[in-house]
Amino acid sequence: MNIVVSVTGGIAAYKTVHLVRLLTKAGHEVTVVPTEDALRFVGTPTWEAISRHPVTTSVHDDVAKVRHVALGQAADLVIVAPATANSIAKMTAGLADDLFGTTLLATEAPVLIAPAMHAEMWRHPATRANIETLRGRGVHIVGPADGELAGGDSGPGRMSEPEEIFAAAQALLAPRDLEGLRVAVSAGGTREPIDPVRFLGNRSSGRQGVALAAEAAARGASVVLVATNIAGDVLADARHPSVRIVTAGSAAELADAMADAAADADVVIMAAAVADYRPVAVSDRKLTKESGGIPSIELVENADIVASLVAARRPGQLIVGFAAETPEDQDELIARARRKQQRKGVDLLVVNEVGWERGFESADNAVHVLGPDGAIAGEASGTKRAVASAVWDAVSDTLSSDRT
């Protein structure tokens, strides 16, 4: 999606840097349009580096492309953060004396503003009247929060946190095609203990599963995310009022948690990387070199979680499996995926190629989605949030075809 982030001249502009990062990380193309005053707080190099696009405030730059209206015309969403009292007044009056103003007048996309000002300014009748006028025009408003303000005083007027603004933006952008659905998603990688210190595990960061949970929530679903050994900063991307997070560690714990989560779910997605084997015996004490010799670890096969979910599925429940493969070429990748889909009995199967520098622990991914008939129902590459969107598109299409 093309998003314009308009930054106006308030101290809260520093928080908007993180908002832009969240938006770009989610796969959106972000153009920052600051006012001249905004650049007194955060400079042009920062905005260009974080958005990966050139930044200007003037209507006289890039005239050949009619930039002063083209940005607004091409936008899928315009965000104003922070929205100062002055910028809110200008929006209400329809002033267009800079790129900020012309972009807002030229867009037909949804507009989301995050007010930020001192409490007295927020409570002033002029600001209140302007806010109500903008609401009447369909402008969406997030915040402000009640808290500490610049100068040490506190009260209403603090700009909402970047994560809250991001969630509001995602809700405006996402199709609500999953409204009312209950979804269970697993994410991360299981760990099979050897002793109190060591385990057998894998390199899954959980980013793809977290992205799937966040995207489902943005599209209206109620989500249970079963998180296996995911770092806090990664898991933070799934924080949403419609996402309930359950933690698990080993494959056995994941199996139990997913059985509970899937019991009343309409869609189940097994994105977690599950250990195929676990040690037969787990030592109560750390294995040390002082014990003598090289320890031998006997392994036993873990239960197939996907197969158990398929066996216990409710009528109408849709189950999606994941496969990470290291094939010789694309033909072998798809062939392996089709065999796994038949063997597991899942409705959809998402397959990606992994390696030392792709798939696991990476910010990006590239997948093929196999439909119920084994044909390729979708392909996607890019950020893991963009891939998650494509997976849910395929799920939504499958659910729609099942109803007709």
Side-chain angles (χ1 to χ4, degrees):
M1 294 289 189
N2 292 317
I3 300 177
V4 172
V5 176
S6 293
V7 188
T8 67
I11 186 63
Y14 80 93
K15 296 164 73 173
T16 310
V17 175
H18 184 47
L19 171 63
V20 173
R21 181 178 179 274
L22 290 172
L23 293 167
T24 56
K25 185 179 175 183
H28 301 297
E29 290 292 325
V30 181
T31 301
V32 178
V33 177
T35 63
E36 286 289 344
D37 282 343
L39 295 180
R40 292 176 178 266
F41 295 93
V42 179
T44 299
T46 297
W47 296 123
E48 291 188 338
I50 203 74
S51 70
R52 304 169 197 161
H53 286 292
V55 169
T56 183
T57 65
S58 175
V59 297
H60 303 296
D61 291 337
D62 211 359
V63 174
K65 294 183 180 178
V66 202
R67 184 178 174 83
H68 70 289
V69 295
L71 284 175
Q73 290 172 334
D76 297 299
L77 175 67
V78 177
I79 302 172
V80 184
T84 61
N86 181 64
S87 63
I88 289 171
K90 290 180 68 173
M91 290 175 64
T92 306
L95 298 182
D97 56 350
D98 58 7
L99 192 58
F100 163 75
T102 59
T103 298
L104 284 164
L105 283 186
T107 192
E108 295 181 350
V111 176
L112 173 68
I113 71 171
M117 63 198 74
H118 275 77
E120 295 84 356
M121 300 172 74
W122 175 248
R123 289 193 293 255
H124 194 281
T127 302
R128 305 308 304 154
N130 289 335
I131 287 292
E132 291 309 309
T133 298
L134 293 177
R135 286 189 196 275
R137 294 175 185 169
V139 172
H140 303 271
I141 300 169
V142 55
D146 194 320
E148 186 176 354
L149 305 171
D153 50 349
S154 63
R158 179 183 177 89
M159 189 175 91
S160 297
E161 294 305 309
E163 291 80 5
E164 185 178 355
I165 303 170
F166 173 76
Q170 290 291 91
L172 288 173
L173 288 169
R176 304 293 289 183
D177 54 346
L178 304 181
E179 194 84 53
L181 288 181
R182 295 161 300 182
V183 169
V185 179
S186 69
T190 62
R191 294 179 179 179
E192 309 304 319
I194 297 172
D195 60 25
V197 177
R198 304 176 182 89
F199 59 84
L200 297 177
N202 56 66
R203 294 171 51 218
S204 175
S205 65
R207 286 187 174 89
Q208 187 63 78
V210 165
L212 285 160
E215 179 69 14
R219 291 166 77 153
S222 175
V223 184
V224 176
L225 171 63
V226 180
T228 56
N229 306 298
I230 301 176
D233 61 328
V234 175
L235 197 58
D237 289 344
R239 302 294 180 188
H240 188 283
S242 297
V243 177
R244 179 167 67 91
I245 299 174
V246 177
T247 59
S250 67
E253 292 170 352
L254 176 61
D256 289 341
M258 282 302 293
D260 289 342
D264 62 353
D266 301 298
V267 180
V268 178
I269 296 188
M270 270 296 298
V274 183
D276 292 324
Y277 306 96
R278 69 181 186 278
V280 170
V282 178
S283 174
D284 290 333
R285 306 173 71 85
K286 177 185 174 183
L287 301 178
T288 67
K289 292 181 180 179
E290 294 178 354
S291 302
I294 299 174
S296 176
I297 300 174
E298 184 181 357
L299 301 178
V300 63
E301 190 171 356
N302 277 322
D304 189 324
I305 299 177
V306 175
S308 63
L309 292 171
V310 170
R313 71 193 306 165
R314 296 184 298 103
Q317 187 180 66
L318 188 144
I319 299 180
V320 182
F322 265 68
E325 302 288 351
T326 56
E328 292 291 335
D329 53 36
Q330 288 294 300
D331 289 341
E332 184 185 353
L333 178 71
I334 300 302
R336 286 189 187 182
R338 285 177 175 145
R339 290 196 297 270
K340 177 167 282 191
Q341 183 181 21
Q342 289 186 337
R343 188 168 67 251
K344 301 285 188 180
V346 295
D347 300 289
L348 302 177
L349 189 124
V350 182
V351 60
N352 66 316
E353 187 175 351
V354 297
W356 292 113
E357 297 181 355
R358 67 178 69 182
F360 292 139
E361 299 178 324
S362 171
D364 296 333
N365 204 357
V367 305
H368 301 275
V369 183
L370 302 189
D373 59 356
I376 296 176
E379 297 177 318
S381 62
T383 66
K384 291 188 174 178
R385 185 59 180 261
V387 168
S389 180
V391 172
W392 282 115
D393 286 345
V395 169
S396 183
D397 290 344
T398 302
L399 290 172
S400 296
S401 63
D402 287 345
R403 296 189 186 109
T404 58

